[in-house]
Amino acid sequence: MKNIKNSVIIFLHRKGRTLLKVLAVVLFVYFISRKFHCMVFKLENAVCISITGRMANAMFQEAFLYSFSKKRHNSEVVFSSENPLADIFTLDGLNWRYDNTYSCSCYSLYQDKWNCAYDESLESLKLPLQVWGFFQSWKYFKGDEEEIRRMFTFQPRLQKAAKDQLETIVASFANKGVTEKTVLVGVHVRRGDYVNKKEYFFIDYGYNVATEAYIHNAITFFQEKYQDVLFIVCGNGVAWAREVMKSYERVHFVNDISPPRDMALLTRTHHTIMTVGTFGWWIGWLTNGTTVYYKNTYQEGTHFSKEFNGGTKDHFIANWIGLD
């Protein structure tokens, strides 16, 4: 071992200067080529992003980008990764493209301060730039709601599948008095990775899941509000929901299909019961009826609680109803 160490010292003593010169040349060539690349593939009036997370996270990011670019004369939105929503929604009005030249990396990167609250400093940013974050606040696209809903119009194949499925569900409850006039309430149950003991991130970070008591309270809320109501349940906690809701007659449980089809189906109902998570949030927002949510979203004093910057007013719509 000592001989090896001595050999390395001798080698570096003899060749060290040469190696430093080679390294300096390599770095010089890299920076020059990098600068040339950024000049050739220059982006002008553009905001860049690499989508982070799954479907509902991407929806928040693209809703933010729509309003952000609109305020800057409909600037171009450049995705440095594939756009995961392109096959799900029409994305009407979003001026976007995918760029594989790595031009986005030429510009300064700005990250939001809180994932689930409004960061006002974003409003003063100048183009071109990169942004990174989750932007999970309705305030980012306040005033553009109708345009965002139009942007998140489901692709025709998903619309047809949801329409056909909903008609089949309603027809299957005809013997229990369900008709086309029955009030439909979409229920999204998020559990899955949130309660998986093998995935400690969500538990340790401070995420909560809705309780059985909350489900009963939410159902009671709508049953007292409407005499003729049918609940349609989707999500990754359907097995749990079956057990919790087994005493209710007018409940339909949807077997696993796909997240886009779940959302396309539930947004054709009239009202929403969400539990936790952004997927249920978007179902409530797109449905645009009465939305009930589990108000104990996070564990106080945890890392996740800090993402809301002191409360949930920036995250949940003011007229939504929080229950325990």
Side-chain angles (χ1 to χ4, degrees):
M1 189 68 181
K2 187 176 181 180
N3 290 335
I4 295 175
K5 182 178 179 180
N6 290 336
S7 298
V8 171
I9 293 173
I10 293 171
F11 175 80
L12 291 175
H13 180 74
R14 292 177 178 176
K15 304 293 184 180
R17 290 184 179 179
T18 301
L19 289 174
L20 286 175
K21 288 179 181 180
V22 171
L23 179 61
V25 171
V26 169
L27 290 174
F28 176 77
V29 171
Y30 170 78
F31 285 117
I32 292 298
S33 62
R34 178 76 177 156
K35 189 171 183 179
F36 179 74
H37 173 89
C38 291
M39 291 174 61
V40 171
F41 297 102
K42 186 177 181 181
L43 299 174
E44 296 291 346
N45 190 35
V47 54
C48 294
I49 192 169
S50 179
I51 293 296
T52 304
R54 293 181 289 190
M55 179 178 165
N57 288 326
M59 291 175 71
F60 268 110
Q61 290 163 59
E62 298 197 28
F64 159 77
L65 288 168
Y66 177 89
S67 292
F68 184 85
S69 65
K70 179 184 174 183
K71 293 171 185 173
R72 290 157 180 79
H73 309 291
N74 199 30
S75 58
E76 188 174 45
V77 175
V78 178
F79 291 88
S80 55
S81 57
E82 294 288 350
N83 187 345
L85 302 184
D87 291 332
I88 302 171
F89 302 107
T90 61
L91 300 182
D92 291 345
L94 183 65
N95 179 22
W96 73 278
R97 68 179 172 88
Y98 166 61
D99 181 86
N100 60 359
T101 65
Y102 302 100
S103 298
C104 289
S105 60
C106 297
Y107 303 102
S108 298
L109 176 65
Y110 187 92
Q111 181 175 347
D112 63 351
K113 295 177 181 177
W114 310 282
N115 288 337
C116 306
Y118 178 64
D119 180 0
E120 188 177 6
S121 63
L122 284 163
E123 302 294 350
S124 60
L125 295 178
K126 305 295 183 182
L127 300 177
L129 81 160
Q130 300 179 74
V131 292
W132 191 95
F134 291 91
F135 314 107
Q136 293 173 6
S137 171
W138 56 271
K139 288 186 176 181
Y140 286 119
F141 45 92
K142 183 181 180 182
D144 296 327
E145 288 86 355
E146 290 308 310
E147 294 159 77
I148 299 296
R149 286 191 171 91
R150 185 165 58 250
M151 186 176 83
F152 289 146
T153 298
F154 285 95
Q155 293 285 2
R157 73 180 192 285
L158 290 169
Q159 289 192 53
K160 184 180 185 306
K163 179 177 179 294
D164 292 346
Q165 187 177 15
L166 190 61
E167 289 175 353
T168 300
I169 292 170
V170 170
S172 71
F173 280 82
N175 63 338
K176 294 183 180 178
V178 173
T179 69
E180 293 180 354
K181 295 182 179 180
T182 297
V183 173
L184 305 178
V185 177
V187 183
H188 182 261
V189 180
R190 174 71 186 272
R191 289 179 67 80
D193 47 355
Y194 280 19
V195 295
N196 188 340
K197 298 296 184 182
K198 294 180 180 179
E199 299 184 37
Y200 287 104
F201 170 79
F202 292 104
I203 298 170
D204 293 344
Y205 201 68
Y207 285 73
N208 276 335
V209 291
T211 62
E212 292 185 20
Y214 164 74
I215 297 296
H216 294 307
N217 290 338
I219 291 174
T220 299
F221 172 86
F222 282 106
Q223 286 180 331
E224 291 179 348
K225 191 176 179 68
Y226 304 104
Q227 291 183 340
D228 183 14
V229 59
L230 172 66
F231 299 92
I232 301 174
V233 185
C234 292
N236 62 7
V238 171
W240 175 84
R242 282 182 187 274
E243 183 62 26
V244 173
M245 303 169 72
K246 62 185 178 182
S247 62
Y248 302 100
E249 289 188 358
R250 282 185 165 198
V251 182
H252 177 82
F253 299 95
V254 179
N255 294 323
D256 292 338
I257 38 177
S258 71
R261 285 189 61 182
D262 277 352
M263 187 178 287
L265 173 65
L266 293 188
T267 53
R268 296 185 78 91
T269 62
H270 303 112
H271 306 289
T272 305
I273 294 174
M274 62 168 286
T275 51
V276 291
T278 53
F279 197 89
W281 192 101
W282 277 108
I283 290 170
W285 193 85
L286 290 175
T287 302
N288 202 23
T290 299
T291 297
V292 172
Y293 66 94
Y294 182 56
K295 68 180 183 181
N296 302 314
T297 305
Y298 51 76
Q299 301 170 38
E300 292 289 352
T302 61
H303 291 293
F304 188 45
S305 69
K306 295 175 183 177
E307 301 289 359
F308 291 84
N309 189 31
T312 60
K313 61 181 176 59
D314 287 358
H315 183 68
F316 292 117
I317 309 297
N319 64 359
W320 287 8
I321 300 165
L323 297 178
D324 288 312

